[in-house]
Amino acid sequence: SSVSKWTYLCLSILIIIVLTAGTFYRVIDNFDASSRNSLDYLDRSHQINVDILKKNHSSELDAEQITVLEKKLNGIEELKGHHIHLVRLLFRNNYALLTLFPFLSAITAILTFFIAQRGWTDSSMFVRAYFVLFTTLTALTGIYPEVYQQEDSIEKNLSTYHQYRNLQKAIFNYSLTAPIM
């Protein structure tokens, strides 16, 4: 044939890489779609608290004090939003990698079986190349979360988010129970 085995091999490897990357991004898109509304209640909760603060059920605070507390709550909300955004990004990437890992591992195991049957030198060039490719992809998806310490980063950002949320609650509760001056 006019097209060599090497050309077929290179094209098939390129197609596998593109399909793997496409699958990775498809899993991320599915994760985003399914989790889009999962944290909306937090936004609503913050807005409800700000609205309650504005209504000033406590006659102990004047309008200027309420404005200051509202600004503090909103400033903390922005800081909180940064950390929950990082949690979402890290978690979705971790989710996508953990979703791909078993499939890539299974393909690597099948290729290992084929190579074990014939030996490395007697296996076809395609089987050996795919074995190296899938072993590399499996290793990358398996070690990436550990190398970049995604689990630790998720936990730290989530902890910081909770600390900011607790600070917001303290400020809001202060607005309801402020001492008479």
Side-chain angles (χ1 to χ4, degrees):
S1 84
S2 62
V3 181
S4 72
K5 285 183 179 181
W6 287 103
T7 305
Y8 283 128
L9 181 62
C10 290
L11 284 174
S12 64
I13 287 174
L14 183 63
I15 289 169
I16 290 168
I17 290 171
V18 167
L19 287 174
T20 302
T23 303
F24 176 81
Y25 288 110
R26 179 76 177 150
V27 170
I28 283 178
D29 288 344
N30 286 340
F31 178 83
D32 287 343
S34 65
S35 69
R36 190 161 284 125
N37 297 325
S38 65
L39 296 173
D40 285 350
Y41 75 94
L42 296 174
D43 295 332
R44 287 190 304 271
S45 172
H46 171 70
Q47 192 54 51
I48 289 169
N49 286 339
V50 169
D51 291 343
I52 290 170
L53 178 66
K54 285 180 180 179
K55 288 180 183 174
N56 191 14
H57 291 291
S58 169
S59 60
E60 284 37 331
L61 299 174
D62 62 33
E64 186 178 322
Q65 289 171 319
I66 290 173
T67 301
V68 168
L69 290 177
E70 182 184 351
K71 286 181 180 179
K72 287 180 186 273
L73 286 173
N74 288 334
I76 293 169
E77 185 67 17
E78 285 190 32
L79 294 170
K80 209 172 76 173
H82 167 72
H83 289 282
I84 203 66
H85 176 71
L86 289 175
V87 167
R88 283 179 176 174
L89 288 177
L90 291 166
F91 192 78
R92 76 182 194 154
N93 287 340
N94 204 30
Y95 175 82
L97 291 169
L98 292 175
T99 300
L100 281 178
F101 184 74
F103 295 106
L104 295 172
S105 296
I107 294 169
T108 302
I110 292 167
L111 292 168
T112 301
F113 174 76
F114 288 143
I115 290 173
Q117 295 298 310
R118 293 186 162 194
W120 182 261
T121 54
D122 291 334
S123 294
S124 81
M125 171 179 69
F126 288 96
V127 171
R128 290 186 306 215
Y130 295 154
F131 173 78
V132 170
L133 174 65
F134 279 101
T135 301
T136 303
L137 291 173
T138 302
L140 289 175
T141 58
I143 65 171
Y144 181 87
E146 288 301 316
V147 168
Y148 291 102
Q149 300 175 350
Q150 285 186 318
E151 297 282 334
D152 291 341
S153 293
I154 289 169
E155 288 299 318
K156 286 177 184 173
N157 280 290
L158 203 51
S159 174
T160 303
Y161 170 83
H162 287 298
Q163 290 170 0
Y164 281 130
R165 188 186 67 190
N166 291 338
L167 183 58
Q168 275 182 317
K169 284 180 183 178
I171 291 171
F172 177 71
N173 288 337
Y174 172 79
S175 74
L176 297 177
T177 60
I180 299 174
M181 303 269 171

